[in-house]
Amino acid sequence: MTQTTTTLDDPPLTIDTLPPLDDQPWKAISPRYKTVLRLRVSMVGLALALAPWVPVVMVGHPASVWHLLLSGSVLLVLALLVFVWVPRKVRRTQYLLRQLDVNVRSGYWWYATQSAAINRIQHLEITQGPLERLCGLSLLILYTAGGQQSDLKIPGLEHELAHRIKAHLTERITEEEPPHGADH
């Protein structure tokens, strides 16, 4: 039995040769996204703070100290989220467009950096809920090969900028694709 060896033209990388992402020109999302998040959090928080009072108002159930404590606790958490978490989350959410990939980093307590190679993007979508529309913002979603967990979302983009990025990425994707009918 003879043993064959192949030489790959793929030399190993060393850690020193890897390009640092932190030195790249990351772009911040719009600070107006704070308004969107604050409104979302406030609507849910106020609904939760008022929920204990529904039996009191609707059925005439007697109010107790627990109603006040529960509502007060929810309002305290709501204030922390609105005035501490939201500004920090928006400040920490950034994106980076490069020639071959798109990167998003975010997080307040848990930091995450997601990357998607442009040649893995299957399609793009821009969405605007009522709050985003009110603030002139959009969410850009990059659907990639590999399923929902590998999709990339860039929130808080100026609406016109989201369309420009989508057009750029669509152009880059079509450059990467072989022409229809070409042999692979």
Side-chain angles (χ1 to χ4, degrees):
M1 178 180 271
T2 60
Q3 203 171 11
T4 42
T5 58
T6 59
T7 308
L8 296 177
D9 196 17
D10 190 15
L13 292 174
T14 64
I15 292 175
D16 298 335
T17 61
L18 295 174
L21 275 179
D22 286 339
D23 294 346
Q24 300 294 315
W26 289 87
K27 303 289 183 195
I29 62 172
S30 172
R32 291 196 319 258
Y33 191 59
K34 285 187 272 194
T35 303
V36 172
L37 286 181
R38 283 180 171 147
L39 288 171
R40 282 184 188 158
V41 168
S42 295
M43 286 188 284
V44 171
L46 290 175
L48 289 173
L50 294 174
W53 296 96
V54 170
V56 174
V57 173
M58 299 299 281
V59 185
H61 189 278
S64 69
V65 172
W66 292 110
H67 290 92
L68 290 172
L69 286 174
L70 189 56
S71 293
S73 299
V74 169
L75 291 174
L76 178 62
V77 169
L78 174 62
L80 285 171
L81 289 173
V82 165
F83 296 111
V84 177
W85 176 76
V86 166
R88 291 181 183 187
K89 173 151 179 70
V90 170
R91 188 172 48 249
R92 291 277 311 156
T93 302
Q94 302 171 330
Y95 64 97
L96 172 64
L97 301 173
R98 298 192 302 181
Q99 191 67 24
L100 300 176
D101 61 8
V102 180
N103 304 274
V104 177
R105 66 180 177 189
S106 64
Y108 175 63
W109 288 292
W110 289 272
Y111 299 122
T113 301
Q114 292 179 284
S115 302
I118 289 176
N119 65 359
R120 302 286 288 167
I121 298 172
Q122 293 180 331
H123 72 279
L124 302 139
E125 178 180 339
I126 294 175
T127 65
Q128 262 190 328
L131 298 178
E132 286 90 357
R133 199 168 28 259
L134 178 73
C135 295
L137 301 175
S138 293
L139 168 69
L140 177 63
I141 306 170
L142 291 69
Y143 294 97
T144 59
Q148 193 173 19
Q149 294 300 323
S150 58
D151 297 340
L152 212 70
K153 297 177 181 178
I154 308 174
L157 293 174
E158 304 281 337
H159 188 65
E160 188 265 330
L161 175 60
H163 280 281
R164 287 188 11 236
I165 293 172
K166 181 183 178 200
H168 168 76
L169 291 174
T170 301
E171 183 179 312
R172 290 282 299 125
I173 292 166
T174 55
E175 288 173 3
E176 298 283 328
E177 290 179 357
H180 291 292
D183 292 331
H184 298 290

